[in-house]
Amino acid sequence: MSDEVTIFLTDRVDLFAETRPDEMALLDGKVTLTWRAIASRMNDWATRLSALGTVSGTPIGLLTGNSFDGICSMLGILKCGAYPVFLPKHASQLALSAMVDDSGMETCLIDPALLSGLETDKTESISLKTNEQLTDWREDRAFTRPDISAGSNFNCVYSSGTTSRPKGILQSHQLRGAQIESGTLMGIEPGKVSILSTPLDSDTTIVGLVGALGNGAAIVLMEKFSPEGFVELSNIYRTTHTIMVPVQYERILDSFAFTAAPPESIEVSICTGAPLPIHRKGELAKRWPGEILEVYGLTEGGATTLLSLKGQPEKHATVGMAFPGAELRIIDDDGVELSANQVGEIVGRDKHEMTGYTDEEAQSSVHWIAPDGLRFLRTGDLGSLDEDGFLTVQGRKKDMLISGGFNVYPRDIEDVISLQETIRDVAVVGRPDERWGEVPIAFVVLKAPTDLSMLRDTVNAQLSKTQRVADVFAIDEVPRNAGGKADKVGLRRIATKEAGNAK
């Protein structure tokens, strides 16, 4: 994409504020904001930040929950030429301080309720207003956005850190502009209503936010997700689009609220962020209203796939084909490209790719250069492509076990366990073993009381010898981040500790 065709989100907000000023743009069940009101608050924040001496290209921290003012301040940061650094509100004080240092921010906008979460003398903190105070804002200010190039930073968002230290990922206006264009492929346009229920610091939410606002659709914002709240708000506002992670879809499917009054207005739903169990794909295809698409991809971009759960049922074991304009390949540990149905690291290239990491050291090993000279982003995920070009993901490369000299992929074991009637959720990790090197350990969330020894024997009868589970532990919930990914680092610690206690 060239600078001439890049769509800038703040320009779109100004356009809709001029052409459709009194139409509702943000709703949450209690407060509503028109396009005019959003633009006014955006310009107010841009003016205030510029008065502080903020210049183009400046990183500004944003620590907030899902709130209208969090969105409006984000737009204001962009309007004055700076870029927001999204800080996870549930991160520890130590982790937040590390992100402050890593990003280089000197100013941070913070929800008053979260002030105690960030204790550092390296930033100047500015409190955000609460939703109840929004009506007190003045709407008579004007601000002209400085020139911003397509390659300028739109935002910095931090990776989940489920397998390593979180990395700061820089994304450009060009990338977000491409995502606005992709939103049109999903039918997002004026008159449509998108419901967002994942945290604002999640790339999943940002993609949904950009796609909706950039195409003139209204947004219903959930401050905190619940299946009942999702169903209620979707039915009240006749929502047409949503983007969520698998665990949210599963909780909604299992709720009485969905069974009693499914939101039939939904036209297109996207499931992303983590693997979706095969049996759940079939259930969603049967019960969920409208089109439902599974999207595989990284916050870093590069490798993105799309699967229609209703249109491609024979491919439910995969995550679909490369997104239009993207290209995927599979490579081994030596960087040699593999053939169809061979498992290796997934690499990809497309226009939805990050600018880079804030950490130059992390940046140095993120690409693979093909023999034909093309540059591909390394995903760190293992998978294979079938003869039709459909991608099957086996999990993170760091999650793979080597047991008795054989590669064992936790995803294969999880798929088998998830088919058991008494299992609500599952995560499999490796545990060090003196005899085999590593053995699989399963953590399960039960729907009903279950004999874990019998469960292990039943599952192992369906697995190969090297895949057989050594232990099964019942837990209340699989620990997951905001993107729905299981915290396998933490689970491996628990598995190793349990083994030590058993000696």
Side-chain angles (χ1 to χ4, degrees):
M1 287 174 89
S2 66
D3 287 16
E4 289 74 28
V5 298
T6 295
I7 300 171
F8 291 95
L9 179 60
T10 54
D11 288 349
R12 283 294 179 93
V13 172
D14 281 332
L15 172 65
F16 298 134
E18 179 181 349
T19 58
R20 298 158 50 220
D22 298 321
E23 289 186 19
M24 293 296 106
L26 290 177
L27 316 96
D28 70 356
K30 295 180 293 185
V31 180
T32 61
L33 291 183
T34 64
W35 286 104
R36 177 191 286 126
I38 294 175
S40 174
R41 286 154 179 76
M42 172 180 71
N43 290 333
D44 186 83
W45 271 113
T47 302
R48 293 173 66 186
L49 292 169
S50 294
L52 292 174
T54 302
V55 297
S56 291
T58 300
I60 295 181
L62 185 58
L63 180 58
T64 177
N66 285 14
S67 69
F68 291 171
D69 202 53
I71 293 175
C72 292
S73 61
M74 177 201 81
L75 293 170
I77 292 170
L78 294 169
K79 188 72 178 283
C80 75
Y83 66 92
V85 179
F86 292 97
L87 298 174
K89 71 172 186 176
H90 294 302
S92 67
Q93 197 274 327
L94 182 63
L96 288 172
S97 295
M99 292 175 192
V100 169
D101 291 342
D102 177 74
S103 67
M105 71 177 73
E106 295 182 356
T107 302
C108 186
L109 311 185
I110 305 179
D111 186 313
L114 303 174
L115 279 171
S116 61
L118 185 63
E119 300 174 3
T120 175
D121 57 3
K122 296 187 178 182
T123 67
E124 177 181 355
S125 298
I126 301 174
S127 293
L128 298 179
K129 294 182 181 293
T130 63
N131 285 350
E132 288 73 18
Q133 294 173 304
L134 286 175
T135 54
D136 298 331
W137 282 60
R138 289 176 292 171
E139 300 188 0
D140 57 354
R141 296 192 181 193
F143 183 85
T144 302
R145 177 177 65 80
D147 290 336
I148 303 171
S149 71
S152 297
N153 289 328
F154 180 101
N155 67 270
C156 173
V157 64
Y158 279 85
S159 64
S160 61
T162 53
T163 58
S164 61
R165 180 173 61 87
K167 296 187 286 289
I169 301 168
L170 298 169
Q171 295 159 312
S172 68
H173 285 270
Q174 182 183 57
L175 180 147
R176 296 302 186 191
Q179 291 173 345
I180 292 174
E181 289 184 318
S182 295
T184 62
L185 301 177
M186 307 294 176
I188 302 176
E189 60 187 12
K192 303 299 184 180
V193 182
S194 180
I195 182 167
L196 297 180
S197 57
T198 47
L200 188 58
D201 56 79
S202 163
D203 188 61
T204 296
T205 311
I206 302 169
V207 170
L209 177 69
V210 166
L213 288 183
N215 286 296
I219 291 176
V220 177
L221 189 66
M222 292 189 69
E223 183 176 355
K224 184 177 181 181
F225 170 78
S226 72
E228 296 76 17
F230 178 91
V231 172
E232 180 182 12
L233 289 173
S234 292
N235 283 322
I236 289 174
Y237 294 112
R238 304 293 297 169
T239 58
T240 58
H241 293 74
T242 191
I243 178 170
M244 295 189 291
V245 298
V247 67
Q248 291 177 295
Y249 285 101
E250 295 184 78
R251 288 184 61 191
I252 294 170
L253 283 178
D254 292 339
S255 70
F256 173 77
F258 180 81
T259 301
E264 300 294 347
S265 59
I266 294 181
E267 299 173 5
V268 180
S269 302
I270 293 175
C271 183
T272 189
L276 184 62
I278 296 175
H279 73 287
R280 287 295 197 178
K281 292 184 184 184
E283 189 176 2
L284 280 167
K286 181 179 179 180
R287 299 178 58 198
W288 195 265
E291 174 70 280
I292 180 161
L293 304 170
E294 181 176 26
V295 174
Y296 162 79
L298 280 69
T299 301
E300 289 91 334
T304 307
T305 66
L306 194 65
L307 176 72
S308 170
L309 298 190
K310 297 187 178 184
Q312 299 165 314
E314 74 284 358
K315 294 292 188 179
H316 278 185
T318 78
V319 292
M321 299 183 69
F323 200 82
E327 181 182 357
L328 301 176
R329 298 187 189 181
I330 307 295
I331 62 173
D332 65 15
D333 290 340
D334 296 321
V336 177
E337 188 173 351
L338 299 175
S339 303
N341 299 311
Q342 290 186 291
V343 176
E345 183 178 1
I346 304 164
V347 297
R349 60 191 299 269
D350 65 16
K351 62 183 179 182
H352 296 167
E353 186 174 329
M354 66 174 181
T355 304
Y357 291 118
T358 52
D359 184 343
E360 292 184 2
E361 183 177 344
Q363 182 67 27
S364 63
S365 59
V366 72
H367 288 107
W368 171 75
I369 307 300
D372 54 12
L374 295 177
R375 188 180 71 163
F376 289 74
L377 187 140
R378 304 184 72 132
T379 67
D381 284 343
L382 292 169
S384 61
L385 290 167
D386 67 16
E387 294 84 353
D388 300 320
F390 283 76
L391 177 68
T392 298
V393 179
Q394 302 287 358
R396 295 293 294 168
K397 192 173 182 179
K398 292 181 180 179
D399 289 342
M400 185 187 74
L401 291 68
I402 300 179
S403 185
F406 292 90
N407 293 344
V408 177
Y409 306 105
R411 176 69 186 275
D412 291 340
I413 303 172
E414 290 166 352
D415 282 344
V416 172
I417 296 177
S418 67
L419 292 174
Q420 306 305 308
E421 292 184 358
T422 59
I423 302 302
R424 185 182 304 279
D425 200 1
V426 58
V428 172
V429 299
R431 184 178 71 193
D433 183 83
E434 292 182 0
R435 182 179 180 184
W436 301 107
E438 288 182 290
V439 291
I441 304 297
F443 290 88
V444 297
V445 179
L446 300 174
K447 295 180 181 178
T450 303
D451 184 311
L452 297 182
S453 295
M454 290 184 62
L455 172 65
R456 181 191 60 193
D457 293 344
T458 299
V459 168
N460 283 345
Q462 302 173 53
L463 296 170
S464 68
K465 184 176 180 179
T466 56
Q467 292 176 317
R468 290 173 187 168
V469 176
D471 278 313
V472 178
F473 298 107
I475 55 179
D476 292 335
E477 295 288 341
V478 172
R480 297 182 182 276
N481 63 15
K485 293 184 175 67
D487 178 12
K488 294 201 170 182
V489 172
L491 290 175
R492 276 194 291 269
R493 292 196 194 102
I494 296 173
T496 302
K497 182 179 179 181
E498 291 291 339
N501 292 338
K503 291 182 179 180

